[in-house]
Amino acid sequence: MNIQIFGKSKCFDTKKAERYFKERRIKFQAVDLKKYGMSKGELTSVKNAVGLANLIDPKHPDAPLLQYLAYDADKLEKLLDDPTLLRTPIVRNGKQATVGYCPEVWETWT
């Protein structure tokens, strides 16, 4: 199992996700989205697993602007340029992924 947790340092749900895996002694790689962002391949893989609409943080002030972009490719570019638009935590396990705190899904991965 190769778990990656993409999150923001001040995000409560990201901390909860990290604690979930620590308590079960499951190794994971934590990635700070504000510092490092996501690669295009990683973002595409997550989008294929959860859908583009689920990736966007509705509380972000710029989230409504994404609705006006016509093409999904343009929306992906905007998410790559500004990773703070992503809803966190994003937890990846290979081609599987979740957005938000989803322990019921993570249990099925072990």
Side-chain angles (χ1 to χ4, degrees):
M1 194 162 24
N2 189 16
I3 303 289
Q4 286 180 304
I5 301 175
F6 295 90
K8 300 169 192 157
S9 57
K10 296 185 179 180
C11 173
F12 182 69
D13 282 343
T14 299
K15 291 176 182 171
K16 277 176 37 181
E18 289 176 359
R19 187 171 58 241
Y20 174 89
F21 289 104
K22 279 180 188 170
E23 287 172 352
R24 286 153 184 79
R25 293 190 172 99
I26 299 170
K27 290 184 179 182
F28 63 88
Q29 176 190 10
V31 179
D32 187 343
L33 278 174
K34 286 185 178 180
K35 261 190 197 171
Y36 304 107
M38 286 179 99
S39 73
K40 189 169 188 165
E42 289 168 335
L43 187 60
T44 303
S45 170
V46 172
K47 178 196 70 110
N48 292 340
V50 301
L52 184 60
N54 293 328
L55 283 173
I56 300 166
D57 182 0
K59 296 176 190 156
H60 193 284
D62 290 343
L65 296 175
L66 282 177
Q67 295 175 356
Y68 295 107
L69 294 174
Y71 302 106
D72 285 354
D74 294 339
K75 292 177 184 177
L76 275 178
E77 280 300 316
K78 181 69 175 158
L79 290 173
L80 284 169
D81 291 343
D82 186 2
T84 62
L85 280 162
L86 293 166
R87 207 170 115 217
T88 55
I90 297 170
V91 181
R92 274 186 70 205
N93 179 20
K95 294 201 181 290
Q96 298 172 308
T98 61
V99 178
Y101 184 71
C102 306
E104 63 283 346
V105 176
W106 303 333
E107 278 181 31
T108 65
W109 292 353
T110 54

